[in-house]
Amino acid sequence: MGQGRLPARLGLACCLLLLLGGSGGLGSRGTPRGPWEEEQGPVAEGGPWGRARYEAVKKHLGAVGALSKQYWQYLACKVWQDGCKEEEEESSRGPGWSLPVVGQDYLEILSAWYCSFGKCCKTGDCRIVNNITGLEADLNGQLHGQHLAKEVIVRAVQGFLQSPQPQKALVLSFHGWSGTGKNFVARMLASHLYRDGLKSECVRVFISLFHFPHHKYMDSYKAQLKKQISETVQLCKQSLFIFDEAEKLHFSLLDAIKPFMARYDNKGQVDYRRSIFLFLSNLGGNTINEVTLDFWRAGRAREEISMEFLEQQLRLELLEPAENGYARSHLLEENLIDFFVPFLPLEYHHVKLCARDAFLARGLPYTEAALDEVAGMMVFVPKEEKLFSAQGCKSVSQRINYFLP
């Protein structure tokens, strides 16, 4: 045990003793009972310190001692990953060695409280896990047909998290047709950066038409949005904000949150440089599809499409005068978006891979014929080539219901 941990563990041990007093010493009806008290019955010979009472006290203290050892091993395993082997061995001895449910609940609360001070996690906050290795593995295994998105996202997020002092928040803008994986990757990012994924108090998701439906209330929306972002940044040293259907956001909302994404000027009370902003949008999908189709017609593999070429095309489309928040806000002209991440249209064999994943996720067997049948249910465009799935992989998981017994 390191010397640095000793004072903290001693403090935690004191809490454990209090915890034991509240759980190990409860009577059958939940009322406190001292270690000297026996069940109702005649007083033993020799007064209060007679032989019978002495044996009862000794037996009770022995049980409490064994139980406290279990509590300590359980807590040390959860918080510091120490003593896990011993805890597993004692748990394997049978029902007689299992911790009382009430005690386990108290330990969960105590370990969560202790971890809230950042003493038990590499990130300094147990809510934050930042599992880049797992993120990269899942992107490679579950995101199909998106070589550009995989590379850009891993490099951007990893570089940002490894930077000791970033100059600004990381801002990523996902673009492409519906069903190509934008929401899927956003959920994956949340699950690998935060212990509780999208349910984490450090993650906020905003859906344009759901959270900000009426233009006449835009001033109220702006105040609420800024307040929620500011409160989340104060609560968590690393925050994630996801804006779905970003093309439908009113430009004034984007301009309202612009200061949170700009370079840090050190004037405010809150440091928002450790925040990540994700914008998910169908804008640019036509440009991305046209480039991908041109490569296919030229007999070139889609993997030859470079980020530099496609990003330039995306910027041009996003800057075109249109009724979208991107074009009318100042995010583009002030270069606040760090990476435009293109999601390419999905082809027939990509849809089959999505169908395979859907079968596996539900523990169902599948055949090549079943995968072909699922992919064959989708609509493919353009009319001549029938190359790209018009819905991407969206609704694939619902379509395998046809194969359920």
Side-chain angles (χ1 to χ4, degrees):
M1 185 187 301
Q3 293 181 354
R5 284 183 175 178
L6 186 58
R9 292 194 178 188
L10 288 175
L12 197 56
C14 295
C15 295
L16 183 59
L17 290 174
L18 291 173
L19 181 150
L20 287 171
S23 58
L26 288 179
S28 60
R29 294 184 183 274
T31 57
R33 189 178 68 209
W36 329 122
E37 295 178 22
E38 295 180 70
E39 298 297 330
Q40 298 272 339
V43 178
E45 291 183 12
W49 289 101
R51 183 69 184 175
R53 187 171 292 277
Y54 170 78
E55 291 297 334
V57 169
K58 181 179 177 182
K59 181 179 179 181
H60 185 89
L61 290 177
V64 170
L67 187 59
S68 65
K69 180 183 176 185
Q70 281 187 274
Y71 275 120
W72 180 254
Q73 287 176 352
Y74 182 87
L75 189 61
C77 176
K78 281 193 68 65
V79 174
W80 302 292
Q81 287 77 50
D82 292 347
C84 293
K85 185 176 180 182
E86 292 86 346
E87 201 271 332
E88 289 172 2
E89 288 175 355
E90 299 208 354
S91 296
S92 67
R93 298 189 189 185
W97 282 87
S98 61
L99 294 176
V101 174
V102 173
Q104 289 190 47
D105 289 343
Y106 287 159
L107 278 172
E108 293 290 343
I109 295 170
L110 184 58
S111 62
W113 168 79
Y114 182 77
C115 286
S116 70
F117 292 96
K119 297 180 183 294
C120 61
C121 302
K122 292 180 180 179
T123 61
D125 186 335
C126 283
R127 297 169 299 183
I128 303 169
V129 294
N130 290 346
N131 181 12
I132 297 299
T133 302
L135 172 64
E136 186 171 13
D138 279 356
L139 285 173
N140 286 329
Q142 300 178 38
L143 183 65
H144 307 300
Q146 306 298 351
H147 69 286
L148 292 176
K150 291 177 185 178
E151 180 183 1
V152 173
I153 291 167
V154 170
R155 290 178 63 181
V157 174
Q158 185 173 35
F160 175 74
L161 296 179
Q162 290 178 348
S163 174
Q165 200 169 38
Q167 295 183 329
K168 64 182 290 294
L170 176 64
V171 185
L172 303 177
S173 192
F174 294 177
H175 297 272
W177 266 7
S178 178
T180 52
K182 301 185 299 295
N183 276 282
F184 180 68
V185 172
R187 291 194 301 271
M188 193 180 291
L189 268 171
S191 67
H192 285 289
L193 297 186
Y194 300 92
R195 179 190 59 195
D196 300 324
L198 289 176
K199 295 181 179 179
S200 173
E201 57 189 347
C202 300
V203 178
R204 290 295 186 100
V205 179
F206 302 99
I207 303 172
S208 298
L209 296 183
F210 179 77
H211 290 98
F212 319 109
H214 305 294
H215 285 185
K216 62 181 179 180
Y217 299 129
M218 208 51 60
D219 288 340
S220 176
Y221 293 153
K222 286 190 290 184
Q224 292 174 17
L225 182 57
K226 289 193 289 186
K227 183 174 182 287
Q228 289 181 19
I229 291 176
S230 181
E231 288 176 348
T232 305
V233 171
Q234 291 180 62
L235 181 67
C236 306
K237 71 174 192 176
Q238 177 187 302
S239 305
L240 174 64
F241 302 100
I242 302 171
F243 293 86
D244 197 6
E245 300 178 342
E247 74 277 4
K248 298 170 185 174
L249 283 170
H250 195 273
F251 72 93
S252 65
L253 283 173
L254 290 172
D255 283 341
I257 63 175
K258 186 180 66 174
F260 295 101
M261 295 178 278
R263 290 184 180 272
Y264 187 62
D265 58 11
N266 206 28
K267 293 178 181 177
Q269 296 276 331
V270 181
D271 186 352
Y272 38 79
R273 290 175 295 178
R274 280 292 177 193
S275 303
I276 300 175
F277 289 82
L278 298 185
F279 294 98
L280 318 182
S281 173
N282 292 339
L283 280 178
N286 292 334
T287 294
I288 295 169
N289 293 357
E290 287 172 8
V291 169
T292 310
L293 183 60
D294 289 342
F295 268 70
W296 182 82
R297 285 172 174 167
R300 301 175 64 184
R302 60 194 280 142
E303 287 74 22
E304 294 181 42
I305 301 174
S306 70
M307 185 66 190
E308 292 76 17
F309 176 73
L310 198 47
E311 191 172 28
Q312 289 178 2
Q313 303 297 316
L314 262 177
R315 281 181 176 271
L316 289 175
E317 180 174 340
L318 295 176
L319 284 170
E320 289 179 2
E323 286 300 315
N324 70 74
Y326 279 94
R328 300 179 64 187
S329 73
H330 295 86
L331 294 186
L332 298 179
E333 64 184 47
E334 296 186 21
N335 295 312
L336 296 180
I337 297 177
D338 299 298
F339 295 95
F340 293 91
V341 184
F343 283 73
L344 308 182
L346 300 182
E347 300 174 20
Y348 185 87
H349 65 283
H350 299 134
V351 177
K352 285 183 63 178
L353 290 173
C354 292
R356 179 205 64 186
D357 293 347
F359 275 107
L360 292 174
R362 298 172 71 169
L364 298 173
Y366 65 89
T367 62
E368 281 296 313
L371 300 185
D372 280 319
E373 192 168 346
V374 172
M377 295 177 181
M378 311 299 280
V379 176
F380 288 83
V381 293
K383 186 180 293 186
E384 299 80 16
E385 291 89 348
K386 297 189 181 301
L387 181 62
F388 305 134
S389 170
Q391 305 137 290
C393 279
K394 188 169 282 188
S395 79
V396 163
S397 60
Q398 284 77 23
R399 291 175 188 273
I400 68 171
N401 291 330
Y402 288 103
F403 300 89
L404 297 179

